[in-house]
Amino acid sequence: MFGFFEKKEAHVDEAATPAYVEWKGWRKFKVMNRKHECSDTTTFTLMPADGQPLPIFRAGQGVALRLEGFEPRAYTLCSTPDEGCYRITIKVLDNDRGALSSRIAQSLFVGDEIEVSEPAGGFVLDDRDTPVVMIAEGIGITPMVAMLSEIATDHPLRRVHLIYSTKNGDHFPLQAEIKHFIKLIPDSGMAVGFTEPRSDEHVGQDYQFTGKLMPATLRQACMDAESDVYLCGSSLFVEYVRNIILQYRTIPAEHIHTQVFVRSR
C-alpha cells in the first residue's frame, strides 16, 4: 500500500534510527506464504532468496516491488524487524495504479520470486512515551499494524487510541492481528466505523460508528496536547481529519504525521 502514498509532515529522528548496512537497488525475495485477508486483499510473506539477513527497518516503513513488464510500486510493511521477514498486504484496485497489485495477487504464489527494494519511509513512530492516536481509512490500516506490534512489544504502557474507517467487515484486513495487539496494550482503545455495514453486522458489537467519521468521535481521542497522531488514508480523508484535529487547538501541527493514499494519477 505504501506506494500509493506521499509522505507529509512525517518526522524521523535520524539519531534514533538504528545503524545497519543497507543494500541498494533490488534483491530477489521468495514468497513463503500468502494469506487471503478479506475482499480484494492478500498478505504475502517474503524472505530473501539468497538466505542473507534482512536490514533493520522501522515499523511503518515500506519497500518497492518490481515485476518484469510493470512499473515498480511501493507498499507498506505490516511486519516488524523482530519477525525476520517482510509481510506486505496488497489490495487490488480498480484503476491503472492497481495493475501491479492485481498481477501479484493473481499470479504470485508460494515459491515464486519477486524483486524488492530496500526499506524506506519516514512515517514511523517518534521515540517518545507520549500517547499515540492512530487514525486510518481502508488499506491505510497496514502501517498501523506494524506500529501497534512495536508498541505492544517495546512500549506496552504507552496509551494508544485507534480509529479505523472501512466499508464493512468484508473490507477489514488484518483484523485479528489488530485486536490481538490492542489487547496486549493495557491503556488502549479502538473505534471502528463501517460506511456500508452488512445486514448481519450490528453497531456496538461489530463496529462502533456508522458512516463518515465525525468530529465527536475524533474529539474523544484528540484532546491530549502531548499526543502524537498518525493519520493514513486517501487525500480527502487525511485533509478532512487533520483539519478537524487542528480546529480543536490541542494537538500541535508538528505532532500530526500523515501519509496519503493516492488513488489516481
Side-chain angles (χ1 to χ4, degrees):
M1 178 201 66
F2 175 83
F4 302 95
F5 283 73
E6 298 169 348
K7 179 170 65 71
K8 294 183 179 180
E9 301 177 44
H11 170 72
V12 183
D13 181 358
E14 294 184 358
T17 302
Y20 61 91
V21 178
E22 63 182 45
W23 85 81
K24 296 296 184 181
W26 301 89
R27 287 174 66 182
K28 287 188 177 295
F29 276 63
K30 182 176 292 187
V31 179
M32 307 305 293
N33 187 48
R34 61 173 284 159
K35 176 186 176 184
H36 175 73
E37 294 286 347
C38 59
S39 179
D40 300 328
T41 306
T42 305
T43 295
F44 294 86
T45 301
L46 307 175
M47 292 285 290
D50 58 13
Q52 295 300 308
L54 297 173
I56 295 174
F57 61 95
R58 304 202 45 195
Q61 290 188 310
V63 296
L65 303 182
R66 185 170 72 173
L67 282 176
E68 185 176 355
F70 291 86
E71 181 182 352
R73 296 288 310 283
Y75 299 87
T76 301
L77 294 167
C78 56
S79 54
T80 62
D82 293 340
E83 295 181 47
C85 65
Y86 289 164
R87 285 193 300 119
I88 301 169
T89 298
I90 293 178
K91 180 178 177 63
V92 176
L93 301 177
D94 55 358
N95 56 34
D96 60 342
R97 279 189 170 269
L100 178 59
S101 298
S102 179
R103 173 57 65 92
I104 291 172
Q106 292 173 5
S107 64
L108 205 65
F109 295 92
V110 173
D112 292 338
E113 293 185 354
I114 187 169
E115 291 184 301
V116 181
S117 74
E118 70 274 14
F123 189 66
V124 298
L125 289 169
D126 274 356
D127 294 323
R128 309 198 304 160
D129 292 326
T130 52
V132 173
V133 181
M134 301 179 183
I135 307 171
E137 172 197 43
I139 197 64
I141 194 65
T142 53
M144 310 306 182
V145 176
M147 292 180 181
L148 284 171
S149 177
E150 181 177 300
I151 292 173
T153 302
D154 300 332
H155 305 282
L157 299 183
R158 199 169 184 179
R159 186 163 80 245
V160 176
H161 284 94
L162 172 65
I163 301 174
Y164 178 51
S165 176
T166 190
K167 186 175 181 180
N168 52 49
D170 290 336
H171 298 264
F172 190 163
L174 305 163
Q175 182 174 172
E177 284 188 60
I178 292 166
K179 292 180 178 179
H180 171 70
F181 292 136
I182 287 292
K183 288 182 179 179
L184 293 179
I185 304 170
D187 192 2
S188 65
M190 179 172 69
V192 176
F194 289 166
T195 57
E196 299 179 25
R198 303 190 312 258
S199 59
D200 62 337
E201 293 175 326
H202 306 287
V203 65
Q205 179 179 334
D206 302 298
Y207 58 102
Q208 284 67 54
F209 62 93
T210 307
K212 188 175 184 179
L213 177 57
M214 301 303 290
T217 302
L218 289 169
R219 180 182 293 274
Q220 297 175 18
C222 298
M223 296 308 294
D224 190 330
E226 293 298 315
S227 295
D228 281 291
V229 176
Y230 296 87
L231 174 56
C232 188
S234 67
S235 57
L236 290 176
F237 178 83
V238 167
E239 182 179 7
Y240 167 74
V241 173
R242 183 178 181 278
N243 286 340
I244 291 175
I245 295 173
L246 290 176
Q247 287 174 12
Y248 296 149
R249 298 182 182 276
T250 52
I251 300 176
E254 59 267 25
H255 286 190
I256 302 175
H257 313 265
T258 67
Q259 194 153 256
V260 177
F261 182 38
V262 182
R263 278 189 170 270
S264 59
R265 294 185 187 276

